[in-house]
């Protein structure tokens, strides 16, 4: 009964979109396919004035909402809730908080290891080998050898400062969903908010083969919505909070790279 209700609800939204603008509803079309690396590739001509979102949900899991950029889009959307069947629903805003379904696709993720999903580039953690930050990561990894994680972590902690002006403008979960860090800008500006720190560190570590998550939620080490990393090292996941440690470094106070999971357990999203 629950499945039937969901199907009828989706069908009613699609019908509403068609009635509101039949030509546009029929014209909207996207290619959504499994990239088999912990992401799905979305190819879509987003020429809509209205906001467009992609909803992603593993069966029985949390629903993730991604704002789709304007223009001709060719992006990878993360699938970070493990193996299984994901439903992806592309939606376009029609008024207020109401969205119409443009397209629905199901894909099945079958990775040999869940860690594979935390090595690729995607919409949130967007990097490639041409980025200055990634070239720096390669350099630090060569110097650090078996301690490459520590070398890259130290570089971020000791060279980046917190951007309080940006933080004052992005202080709600809804605003975080619309903001995507740009590692080129962060690397050049040498400052950012917690989301910037965690995405920069994740990009750099992933580029040298270290599975790394960007995690958002709440911690005793921050008074507002926060972002940090989980880094795979010594055959286990470890919590890293470069934002907090950068402030401790500047205040000349003691800190350690790996944190207690019990202080970072109130998780909202993982990328």
């Amino acid at each position: 009964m629950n499945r039937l209700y969901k199907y009828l609800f989706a069908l009613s939204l699609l019908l509403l979109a068609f009635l509101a603008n039949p030509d546009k509803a029929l014209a909207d079309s996207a290619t959504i396919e499994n990239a088999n690396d912990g992401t799905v590739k979305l190819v879509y001509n987003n020429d809509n004035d209205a906001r467009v979102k992609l909803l992603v949900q593993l069966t029985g899991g949390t629903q993730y909402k991604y704002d789709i950029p304007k223009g001709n889009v060719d992006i990878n959307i993360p699938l970070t809730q493990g193996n299984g069947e994901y439903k992806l629903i592309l939606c376009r805003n029609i008024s207020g908080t109401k969205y119409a379904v443009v397209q629905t696709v199901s894909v099945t993720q079958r990775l040999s290891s869940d860690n594979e999903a935390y090595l690729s580039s995607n919409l949130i953690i967007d990097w490639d080998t041409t980025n200055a930050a990634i070239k720096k990561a390669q350099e630090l990894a060569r110097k650090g050898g078996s301690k490459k994680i520590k070398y890259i972590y130290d570089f971020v902690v000791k060279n980046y400062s917190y951007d309080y002006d940006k933080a004052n403008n992005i202080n709600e979960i809804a605003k975080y969903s619309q903001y995507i860090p740009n590692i080129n800008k962060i690397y050049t500006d040498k400052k950012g908010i917690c989301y910037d720190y965690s995405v920069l560190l994740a990009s750099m570590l992933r580029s040298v083969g270290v599975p790394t998550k960007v995690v958002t939620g709440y911690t005793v080490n921050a008074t507002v919505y926060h972002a940090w990393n989980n880094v795979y090292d010594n055959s286990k996941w470890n919590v890293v909070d470069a934002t907090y440690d950068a402030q401790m470094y500047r205040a000349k106070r003691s800190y350690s790279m790996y944190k207690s999971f019990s202080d970072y357990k109130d998780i909202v999203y993982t990328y």
Side-chain angles (χ1 to χ4, degrees):
M1 187 66 182
N2 187 44
R3 183 176 295 178
L4 177 61
Y5 173 80
K6 290 181 178 178
Y7 171 77
L8 292 174
F9 178 70
L11 187 62
S12 66
L13 287 177
L14 186 60
L15 178 60
L16 180 59
F18 178 78
L19 292 175
N21 191 341
D23 293 333
K24 188 62 180 177
L26 289 173
D28 268 330
S29 180
T31 300
I32 305 173
E33 58 185 25
N34 197 341
N36 297 309
D37 64 353
T39 69
V40 288
K41 178 179 282 293
L42 170 66
V43 179
Y44 179 58
N45 181 18
N46 185 13
D47 59 357
N48 297 283
D49 292 331
R51 196 170 171 185
V52 175
K53 288 180 177 287
L54 183 67
L55 312 183
V56 179
Q57 185 169 18
L58 176 70
T59 301
T62 301
Q63 186 179 84
Y64 284 60
K65 304 178 181 68
Y66 297 95
D67 283 279
I68 304 305
K70 300 292 184 184
N72 289 316
V73 173
D74 187 344
I75 54 178
N76 284 14
I77 304 293
L79 304 178
T80 55
Q81 298 184 70
N83 286 340
E85 185 178 17
Y86 287 79
K87 179 171 285 186
L88 299 97
I89 306 174
L90 190 67
C91 304
R92 185 178 66 256
N93 184 259
I94 52 175
S95 68
T97 58
K98 294 181 180 179
Y99 281 77
V101 173
V102 173
Q103 193 167 336
T104 300
V105 174
S106 292
V107 300
T108 300
Q109 177 161 269
R110 294 190 182 93
L111 301 178
S112 58
S113 166
D114 286 344
N115 290 357
E116 290 180 44
Y118 303 105
L119 286 169
S120 57
S121 172
N122 59 50
L123 175 65
I124 305 298
I125 307 165
D126 185 15
W127 60 271
D128 62 48
T129 55
T130 66
N131 300 134
I134 301 309
K135 292 177 181 178
K136 185 65 177 180
Q138 304 293 324
E139 174 193 326
L140 292 168
R142 286 192 295 271
K143 290 180 179 178
S146 62
K147 296 181 179 179
K148 62 185 178 182
I149 295 175
K150 184 70 163 57
Y151 270 60
I152 293 172
Y153 157 83
D154 280 342
F155 172 79
V156 173
V157 167
K158 295 178 180 179
N159 289 282
Y160 290 81
S161 58
Y162 194 76
D163 190 337
Y164 289 95
D165 289 337
K166 183 187 287 188
N168 289 333
N169 291 321
I170 307 177
N171 57 6
E172 300 171 7
I173 297 178
K175 290 182 179 178
Y176 265 90
S177 72
Q178 299 173 44
Y179 171 68
I180 298 176
N182 181 310
I183 68 165
N184 286 327
K185 182 170 176 53
I186 301 163
Y187 184 80
T188 301
D189 291 350
K190 293 291 186 289
K191 62 180 180 179
I193 59 172
C194 57
Y195 204 10
D196 298 321
Y197 274 87
S198 58
V199 167
L200 177 63
L201 184 58
S203 299
M204 295 179 77
L205 289 176
R206 287 187 183 195
S207 75
V208 298
V210 179
T212 306
K213 304 175 183 179
V214 170
V215 187
T216 66
Y218 298 91
T219 169
V220 296
N221 289 329
T223 58
V224 294
Y225 191 58
H226 192 50
W228 62 91
N229 296 105
N230 286 355
V231 177
Y232 197 76
D233 184 25
N234 292 322
S235 301
K236 64 180 181 179
W237 288 102
N238 305 270
V239 174
V240 175
D241 189 345
T243 312
Y244 177 82
D245 292 347
Q247 294 182 73
M248 294 299 101
Y249 171 76
R250 278 161 181 71
K252 297 183 174 7
R253 297 174 60 183
S254 63
Y255 61 92
S256 59
M257 182 167 68
Y258 292 146
K259 305 287 188 285
S260 170
F261 269 97
S262 63
D263 291 336
Y264 291 81
K265 62 184 179 181
D266 195 0
I267 294 170
V268 178
Y269 297 116
T270 300
Y271 302 106

